[in-house]
Amino acid sequence: MMDLNKQIIMVVKTGKVELGCSKATDAAKTGKARLIVVSSNCPEPHKSSILYNAKVSEVPVYVYSGTSMDLGAACEKPFLVAALTVKEPGDSEILKLAET
């Protein structure tokens, strides 16, 4: 079992990520994401849009068990993060979440 928060920190530091629901929705629509992580309390219209577009584009989505505050802290950001889009994993093993 990998330490999810550790992998999130690693991908933020060494990979290419985008934060926010709008970026996640755009990436899901175009299929230009390797993985999208959404917080458990991601606002509903955004969450539905991300999940629908990701399914159509076959982009894996992982629902983070914590809140947007917890996801923001995991990203080492001083603000809420409702969605995290992974474009490149860097040195992290976060894409293993897509396999589960």
Side-chain angles (χ1 to χ4, degrees):
M1 183 72 191
M2 73 171 156
D3 182 356
L4 179 57
N5 289 344
K6 197 176 196 180
Q7 295 305 318
I8 289 173
I9 291 169
M10 180 98 53
V11 75
V12 169
K13 286 184 177 178
T14 65
K16 289 184 182 175
V17 299
E18 291 180 337
L19 306 176
C21 293
S22 298
K23 299 276 188 181
T25 302
D26 291 345
K29 282 181 184 174
T30 60
K32 292 185 177 178
R34 304 277 298 274
L35 174 70
I36 297 174
V37 179
V38 293
S39 66
S40 62
N41 68 336
C42 181
E44 193 42 55
H46 295 293
K47 190 174 190 176
S48 298
S49 178
I50 292 167
L51 292 174
Y52 172 77
N53 288 303
K55 188 171 188 172
V56 170
S57 300
E58 298 181 354
V59 173
V61 176
Y62 180 81
V63 179
Y64 185 74
S65 60
T67 65
S68 52
M69 185 176 283
D70 298 329
L71 186 54
C75 294
E76 296 185 333
K77 301 295 179 190
F79 48 82
L80 304 177
V81 175
L84 168 74
T85 305
V86 178
K87 300 262 185 160
E88 293 296 327
D91 296 335
S92 76
E93 296 177 0
I94 199 158
L95 294 183
K96 288 185 178 179
L97 290 176
E99 299 166 8
T100 59

